[in-house]
Amino acid sequence: MSIAFGPGVKFGSFNFAEMRRFAADTDNPMWLRIWFLAMADANQLGHAEYGSTELPEILNTTPATVRKAIREAKARELIRPESKSRCVVVSTLLRKTSQNGSTCTTHGIHPAARRIDLSTPF
Ligand SMILES: [Zn+2]
């Protein structure tokens, strides 16, 4: 079953708990684990916010390793360039949800100033 989001745009769905399980799997490279986690946690804008030490704690690694993995995930265009350890951003062209709201404290996106740029994938 696919979900239509416009002419020629079809989506399926995935299990957030399974994405979190993949994120916890230490056999996966860290850049991929971060992407799995962001895919599970992102809000309607694609922003997955974390506390200052939350990502390293969830992934059981160091802040430096998280920063390096975020750079690598950006280079692979899995996550958007504005991603940082406090907020990993996945493209809304890749993931759509009606959950987790549509703001981001880390990036200063509030309902009144919200903008969604669907014109560029990255
Ligand atoms: Zn954000």
Side-chain angles (χ1 to χ4, degrees):
M1 178 178 147
S2 65
I3 305 164
F5 281 94
V9 181
K10 295 180 181 176
F11 277 79
S13 59
F14 56 87
N15 184 315
F16 291 173
E18 284 297 297
M19 295 300 269
R20 292 186 74 82
R21 186 176 69 77
F22 296 148
D25 186 344
T26 57
D27 285 342
N28 290 323
M30 190 60 73
W31 55 265
L32 185 57
R33 293 175 65 198
I34 285 173
W35 181 77
F36 282 134
L37 194 61
M39 289 292 282
D41 293 341
N43 67 13
Q44 294 172 30
L45 301 177
H47 290 240
E49 283 194 273
Y50 301 98
S52 62
T53 60
E54 194 175 0
L55 261 185
E57 289 171 5
I58 291 171
L59 298 167
N60 194 26
T61 191
T62 66
T65 299
V66 166
R67 287 191 299 273
K68 180 178 180 228
I70 287 173
R71 284 194 302 272
E72 196 163 351
K74 287 180 190 178
R76 293 173 182 273
E77 298 186 345
L78 284 177
I79 60 176
R80 292 189 52 92
E82 63 267 38
S83 296
K84 50 182 95 174
S85 59
R86 293 291 302 265
C87 182
V88 179
V89 185
V90 295
S91 172
T92 54
L93 293 176
L94 181 65
R95 181 189 186 282
K96 296 191 182 301
T97 186
S98 60
Q99 300 181 54
N100 301 335
S102 57
T103 63
C104 178
T105 303
T106 302
H107 287 102
I109 301 171
H110 306 288
R114 183 177 69 180
R115 62 178 166 77
I116 302 173
D117 183 2
L118 297 176
S119 62
T120 55
F122 280 93

